[in-house]
Amino acid sequence: MNQKNFEYLKDQVKYTGFGEGLEDTLKQKIEQGQPEFKLQHQAQFGNDKVDTTLNFSKSKQTDMYFFNSYQVSVLKENNPEPMQQTIYINKGNNLTLKEAYNLMEGRSVNKDLTNKEGQLYTAWLQMDFKQSDDNGNFKMKHYHQNYGYDLEAVLAKHPIKELAHEEYRSNLINSLKKGNLQSATFQREGSEQKQYIEANPRFKTINIYDSNMQRVDNRQSKSEKQSEGQRRSAKQDNKSQEQAISDDAPDIPKAKIKRKRQTIT
């Protein structure tokens, strides 16, 4: 057995999100010397059961094996038909099992990828459930850097408590980039409320859910429009008052009125 090859594959499996539980079986399969073999992995995310088949093949020229792909099958509660997707392993930054699951949940994942010329680029990935390839896999949408989605700038528009602490802020951003549905503390009108957020690069925003996993964006949008209307009305009133002072007492300098505008999005 090629020990270096085994050590490399062991780490590759581990850091692709399958842990260390497959190490012994991987070693046995390599020692058997078959042209190809598969490993089985089971996991659970929430109430969803996730079964994965890892595919390996042996080089035709050497004794080295390669981790080629893994097929993910997600069985949701009260749904008899599992959803399946094959994830291919590349030399660069592979999709982890959790990232693949997040994509299959409809969320977006931020990855460093390599193009055909070997150049690195960053893109947000999202599965297109309306299109599939010849192998039955859903195609991927790519939102590249030039698309203009700035997650940190979007988060800064929201009254999220974690953003004020550097470590919590960094953890929040990294979690969202992995495609996770992440809890966050919203501070509004002197109170704190736990909600859940996910990145939405397509519309250059974030999706927000309440504790019952109901979208709250629409309700917030209505209140934001009302608040904006109130601010505009107040601004007009202040302008009218300033004009009245100027007309009635031109010899008295107008006081500079400082306003701190707060925008909630």
Side-chain angles (χ1 to χ4, degrees), residues 107 160 172 176 180-186 193-199 206-217 220:
R107 293 189 287 273
I160 298 174
L172 175 64
L176 292 172
N180 293 324
L181 182 66
Q182 182 64 45
S183 65
T185 309
F186 282 72
Q193 186 178 15
K194 281 286 185 182
Q195 294 183 322
Y196 295 88
I197 60 177
E198 64 186 13
I206 58 173
N207 297 334
I208 306 173
Y209 303 87
D210 62 19
S211 58
N212 296 317
M213 294 310 300
Q214 299 296 314
R215 283 281 294 270
V216 299
D217 305 80
Q220 282 186 335

Side-chain angles (χ1 to χ4, degrees), residues 85 87 95 99 102-104 106-111 113 121-133 137-145 147 149 177 199-203:
Q85 181 81 4
I87 306 297
L95 284 169
E99 289 171 340
N102 286 337
L103 287 169
M104 294 170 76
R107 293 189 287 273
S108 303
V109 172
N110 184 264
K111 298 294 289 187
L113 304 172
Y121 68 97
T122 299
W124 285 89
L125 307 179
Q126 187 175 35
M127 279 190 183
D128 186 349
F129 297 116
K130 295 181 180 180
Q131 295 190 67
S132 57
D133 61 21
N137 285 316
F138 293 112
K139 292 185 177 181
M140 291 283 189
K141 295 179 180 179
H142 288 66
Y143 299 99
H144 296 257
Q145 293 161 292
Y147 186 74
Y149 180 55
K177 285 185 175 181
N200 186 340
R202 180 184 177 186
F203 294 108

Side-chain angles (χ1 to χ4, degrees), residues 15-188:
Y15 293 113
T16 309
F18 299 100
E20 300 176 345
L22 297 175
E23 182 178 330
D24 291 341
T25 308
L26 174 64
K27 186 175 183 179
Q28 292 172 6
K29 292 289 186 180
I30 293 176
E31 288 176 339
Q32 290 173 4
Q34 296 296 320
E36 56 185 44
F37 63 86
K38 301 178 184 294
L39 298 180
Q40 303 298 323
H41 181 272
Q42 291 79 38
Q44 187 159 335
F45 298 122
N47 294 324
D48 297 343
K49 294 181 179 180
V50 181
D51 292 324
T52 309
T53 300
L54 291 72
N55 304 305
F56 298 81
S57 64
K58 187 178 182 181
S59 169
K60 294 181 180 180
Q61 288 78 32
T62 69
D63 61 351
M64 293 182 62
Y65 280 88
F66 301 95
F67 180 18
N68 299 314
S69 64
Y70 61 93
Q71 186 182 47
V72 186
S73 177
V74 178
L75 183 62
K76 302 187 73 66
E77 193 175 23
N78 300 322
N79 191 340
E81 292 296 327
M83 177 183 177
Q84 295 184 340
Q85 181 81 4
T86 298
I87 306 297
Y88 293 95
I89 300 297
N90 300 308
K91 293 181 179 180
N93 200 359
N94 296 317
L95 284 169
T96 67
L97 175 62
K98 183 63 186 300
E99 289 171 340
Y101 168 78
N102 286 337
L103 287 169
M104 294 170 76
E105 284 288 282
R107 293 189 287 273
S108 303
V109 172
N110 184 264
K111 298 294 289 187
D112 292 327
L113 304 172
T114 306
N115 62 19
K116 293 180 180 179
E117 290 73 33
Q119 298 172 328
L120 284 174
Y121 68 97
T122 299
W124 285 89
L125 307 179
Q126 187 175 35
M127 279 190 183
D128 186 349
F129 297 116
K130 295 181 180 180
Q131 295 190 67
S132 57
D133 61 21
D134 295 337
N135 296 319
N137 285 316
F138 293 112
K139 292 185 177 181
M140 291 283 189
K141 295 179 180 179
H142 288 66
Y143 299 99
H144 296 257
Q145 293 161 292
N146 294 336
Y147 186 74
Y149 180 55
D150 188 338
L151 177 61
E152 295 188 36
V154 170
L155 288 172
K157 298 178 181 179
H158 296 268
I160 298 174
K161 182 179 180 180
E162 286 79 4
L163 297 178
H165 190 286
E166 181 58 34
E167 182 180 356
Y168 296 157
R169 175 180 172 278
S170 178
N171 291 340
L172 175 64
I173 292 172
N174 289 336
S175 180
L176 292 172
K177 285 185 175 181
K178 292 177 181 178
N180 293 324
L181 182 66
Q182 182 64 45
S183 65
T185 309
F186 282 72
Q187 298 174 310
R188 295 191 181 96

Side-chain angles (χ1 to χ4, degrees), residues 203-247:
F203 294 108
K204 300 178 182 178
T205 185
I206 58 173
N207 297 334
I208 306 173
Y209 303 87
D210 62 19
S211 58
N212 296 317
M213 294 310 300
Q214 299 296 314
R215 283 281 294 270
V216 299
D217 305 80
N218 292 334
R219 295 198 296 272
Q220 282 186 335
S221 179
K222 291 178 181 178
S223 63
E224 287 163 13
K225 289 179 180 178
Q226 292 173 353
S227 297
E228 181 64 22
Q230 292 170 357
R231 287 196 295 270
R232 288 178 180 174
S233 177
K235 188 174 182 179
Q236 285 297 117
D237 290 343
N238 287 334
K239 283 185 176 180
S240 298
Q241 290 172 6
E242 290 176 17
Q243 185 64 41
I245 292 173
S246 178
D247 293 341

